[in-house]
């Protein structure tokens, strides 16, 4: 017989993991592997999102020069 907490985890993972917000089980026995797995997942999702800076509504080059000017 399985402990109740294992059943609760299984139910939570089944009900909360969706196609638009999936859950990933990442083993943490080895920190280097855990870090690689999380980094790889993040990279894949950020590449899929393709984030971009918004277009500036001011002269960017002018603002870049300002901190370099002496008062």
């Amino acid at each position: 017989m399985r402990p109740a907490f294992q059943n609760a985890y299984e139910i939570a993972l089944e009900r909360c993991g969706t196609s638009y917000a999936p859950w990933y089980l990442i083993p943490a026995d080895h920190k280097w592997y855990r870090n690689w797995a999380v980094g790889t997942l993040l990279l894949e999702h950020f590449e899929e999102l393709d984030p971009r800076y918004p277009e500036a509504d001011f002269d960017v080059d002018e603002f870049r020069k300002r901190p370099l000017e002496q008062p």
Side-chain angles (χ1 to χ4, degrees):
M1 185 169 163
R2 288 172 52 173
F5 77 90
Q6 286 182 342
N7 290 330
Y9 275 114
E10 185 175 337
I11 291 168
L13 290 173
E14 287 174 359
R15 294 182 183 173
C16 294
T18 62
S19 60
Y20 59 88
W23 284 57
Y24 296 96
L25 297 178
I26 298 177
D29 297 349
H30 302 286
K31 289 182 182 181
W32 69 268
Y33 181 79
R34 178 207 58 203
N35 295 346
W36 174 84
V38 170
T40 300
L41 285 169
L42 286 172
L43 179 62
E44 289 174 2
H45 288 282
F46 278 131
E47 286 176 342
E48 187 178 313
L49 288 172
D50 193 25
R52 307 243 181 212
Y53 285 107
E55 286 292 321
D57 58 354
F58 56 89
D59 186 359
V60 175
D61 291 328
E62 182 64 32
F63 273 80
R64 285 185 177 153
K65 291 177 188 175
R66 285 185 182 184
L68 301 177
E69 294 174 357
Q70 296 296 324

